[in-house]
Amino acid sequence: IVTGDSVSMCSEAASSGKPVYIFAPKSMVGDKHRRFHNTLYKGGYAKDLSDFKEEYEEVKTLNESVRIAGIIKERLL
């Protein structure tokens, strides 16, 4: 469980390979953070804490460094 007020913390948690739930009440986060959370939710990297279940169906690991390295290889090599 991570608080939604830090993009870095959410990103690091999503790259851990463990289930991630984000605690982000409207009074705590702004639109920018909420958009980022929604991207993580849609990608299957995290879930809203209000959707907590004992069993987490699937854990997807966020790995942007591999994705970016692939883009660089395509464009530069």
Side-chain angles (χ1 to χ4, degrees), residues 21-67:
Y21 287 96
I22 301 174
F23 174 68
K26 289 185 179 189
S27 62
M28 180 195 288
V29 298
D31 291 339
K32 176 181 113 176
H33 287 82
R34 193 162 312 286
R35 284 191 304 272
F36 179 67
H37 301 158
N38 286 331
T39 299
L40 292 176
Y41 301 151
K42 288 178 185 173
Y45 301 107
K47 295 185 180 195
D48 189 285
L49 185 56
S50 65
D51 295 329
F52 180 80
K53 295 179 184 165
E54 289 293 324
E55 293 185 23
Y56 202 97
E57 296 90 33
E58 179 183 337
V59 176
K60 286 182 70 178
T61 302
L62 184 65
N63 194 342
E64 287 299 281
S65 59
V66 170
R67 186 182 71 83

